[in-house]
Each structure stands twice: as C-alpha cells, then as structure tokens.
Amino acid sequence: MTADRAARALAAFEGLALGDALGMPTQSMSRAEIREDYGVITGFRDAGPRQRIAAGMPAGSITDDTEQAVLLARLLVAGGGAVDVDDFARQLLAWEADMAARGSLDLLGPSTKAALQRLSDGVPASEAGRFGTTNGAAMRITPVGIAHPVDDLTAFVDAVAATSEPTHNTSLGIASAAAIGAAVSAGIDGAAPAEAIEVAIAAAEEGARRGHWAAGGEIAPRLRWAVPYVAELPAAKRADAVAEVVGTSVASQESVVAALALVACSDDPWSTLCLAVGLGGDTDTVAAMAGAVLGATHGGAVWPEAERAQLRRVNDLDLAPLVRELLALRG
C-alpha cells in the first residue's frame, strides 16, 4: 500500500461524504427553490425551510448515501472482501428502522425498499432486486472500488454485482454501480479523470450484461455521449446541460451519467461539488458520486481542511481506519 494510494482512497471516501453533506439541504428540491432558499452554494448549509427529507439537519450532516456506504464497507471488511446478501439485507432494514425511530424521513430509496420487502417475503436474493434500476447501488459502491482493483474487469464487476444483487439486480443498476466503482478503483491506482471515465465506460458495458434486463438508456452509451457533450460546452452553460438534458433524478441513467460528466469537466473538485448540489433533483447523490471519483482521481489535499474537520465533527465520522482496512483487502 503506497502513500499515494492511501491518500486517494481516503479522498474518495471523504469526497463521497463531503458531496453528500453538501447536497443534504438541497436534495429533492428544484433549481429554482434552491436558488431562492440558498443562493449560490459555496459550502455546507443548514437544511432550509423547504427541505422536507432532511428537515432540521445542521450544516455538514451526511445522509443515507454515506451511511449505506459505511455499512457496506464494514460488511466487506468483516467478510474479507465478500458480502453476505442476507446479512446486508438485515443491516439495511435495521438502519432504516433506526432512522424512522429518530423521526427521519431519510430512509431507503424506492428500489432498495421494494427489494428488501420481497426478501422479507421469502423471495430469493437473485430475484428480489430484479426491478431495481435507480442509483442506490451506485451511491454506496465506493468501498468496493477501494477494496477491489479493476485490472481484472470481469472479477471487479463480479464484486459489484454481488453487492448490487439484493436490491439492484438489473442491467441498469449493476452497470451504473460498476461505472462509479470502477472509476474510483482506477483513480486509486493513479488514473486521471479522463482515464478513469474510460474505465467506467468499460465497466458499465460489462455490468449491463449482468442481472435482469431493464428498459432505459444504457449507461455506457449515455456516458460516451454526455461526457464530451458537457465538456465541450462553455463553462457557463454546463449546469443547464446537466440539469436539463442529462438529468439529475434518481434514475441511474441520469444521475450516474450526470456525476461522471461533471467529473470530466471539473477544473476544481470542491467547486464542482458546490455546482452539483445546486442543480436540483437527487443532488446529494450526484455530488456524492462525483466526489468519490474526484477524490480518487486527485487524491492528496484535494478537499478543503475546514470542511473535512466539520464533516468529522458533525457526524462523529473518522473514515481513515475503515479505508485502511478496505485497502488491506485490495492487497
């Protein structure tokens, strides 16, 4: 484990959490509402008056994106790189029950919720996630990207598919998770953003062959179109293009593609996350996925220290020990 690889892995997991926390107050809001309530976002903000999901949460608070990624990371460590599907399902249900008991509306996404209900009803894991096409598997996949190298692409996508199976066992769900996970993994091994996105496209192609086929624009072709489309626009027009043409909904073929398109044209990672959370839609997840890839591909001191400290303090969250354990699996 080199110092550079360790720095990139930590920056990836922290980038996920930072993007998630930045997007906490704007998630599920429209661009117009975000502008009216927050103006131009340059840092963490308290949840505003029209934030229903995260009502009352203080600036710097993480949401389900980070919490599910941490849960998955701990299961990977406990399982030596593998995850027991039934245990994963139980832990997700326990997490949601705890959130509900605290009065939070930040609960499981639609695909995950429906899949876990089917598992509870006795449906086999291979069938429970057959309708999961949203971005839930992609938002939590960063630990797999840290724990598994992507030099053997088939083996890497096998690992992604195994963690996606219980909730997002579809061509779209697995392809989208494979794209984000592979970009993170490639970045940890030193890839620059452009190279990491090429690896992401290859992983998405492989992932699209897994799981149950689902209708919708496929991840790899949409990335081949969207990345150059957004990157070649004047900087002032990129936000409109991502929000209005690519899309930022929970659909994986929108939000995952949007996140990687933002990575491709990023001049400054922190500014890119601030831009992402003002676009409307599933802002916390778009920023979390973009943050993970930007952290992996830039590494080192890419994230501002004041915000890193606030993230740790507000959430009692120290990711460094967990990242070291994930990297030990990679070796």
Side-chain angles (χ1 to χ4, degrees), residues 24-184:
M24 173 276 294
T26 67
Q27 60 183 310
S28 299
M29 295 174 66
S30 71
R31 289 180 78 191
E33 289 173 332
I34 293 168
R35 283 193 295 266
E36 290 168 6
D37 286 6
Y38 305 105
V40 177
I41 295 175
T42 59
F44 294 141
R45 303 288 293 273
D46 294 330
R50 282 188 280 189
Q51 178 47 245
R52 295 179 298 277
I53 296 173
M57 292 181 71
S61 298
I62 59 171
T63 78
D64 61 321
D65 300 63
T66 306
E67 293 188 358
Q68 287 192 37
V70 169
L71 189 158
L72 176 57
R74 289 174 176 156
L75 289 173
L76 282 166
V77 170
V83 173
D84 180 86
V85 169
D86 292 330
D87 191 24
F88 192 17
R90 284 193 296 271
Q91 298 240 17
L92 285 170
L93 285 169
W95 172 84
E96 183 181 50
D98 179 64
M99 295 295 284
R102 286 185 272 163
S104 173
L105 295 178
D106 192 12
L107 306 176
L108 295 170
S111 294
T112 300
K113 181 71 173 177
L116 292 179
Q117 182 60 55
R118 285 191 285 273
L119 281 170
S120 299
D121 292 341
V123 176
S126 60
E127 294 294 319
R130 67 174 300 137
F131 304 108
T133 61
T134 52
N135 56 25
M139 79 179 190
R140 67 184 183 227
I141 202 66
T142 291
V144 175
I146 297 172
H148 291 273
V150 77
D151 49 349
D152 183 341
L153 188 64
T154 299
F156 181 83
V157 177
D158 284 344
V160 170
T163 67
S164 304
E165 181 184 64
T167 57
H168 294 79
N169 192 18
T170 65
S171 53
L172 286 173
I174 296 170
S176 61
I180 296 297
V184 168

Side-chain angles (χ1 to χ4, degrees), residues 140-259:
R140 67 184 183 227
I141 202 66
T142 291
V144 175
I146 297 172
H148 291 273
V150 77
D151 49 349
D152 183 341
L153 188 64
T154 299
F156 181 83
V157 177
D158 284 344
V160 170
T163 67
S164 304
E165 181 184 64
T167 57
H168 294 79
N169 192 18
T170 65
S171 53
L172 286 173
I174 296 170
S176 61
I180 296 297
V184 168
S185 186
I188 288 170
D189 279 338
E195 182 184 354
I197 289 172
E198 286 301 315
V199 175
I201 292 171
E205 287 180 329
E206 178 68 20
R209 304 185 185 103
R210 313 298 180 88
H212 299 276
W213 178 81
E218 294 189 11
I219 305 299
R222 281 182 61 82
L223 282 169
R224 286 199 188 90
W225 156 73
V227 168
Y229 164 67
V230 175
E232 290 168 7
L233 289 171
K237 295 185 177 181
R238 288 171 182 165
D240 288 342
V242 173
E244 298 169 7
V245 182
V246 178
T248 57
S249 75
V250 298
S252 57
Q253 63 267 41
E254 289 193 4
S255 52
V256 171
V257 175

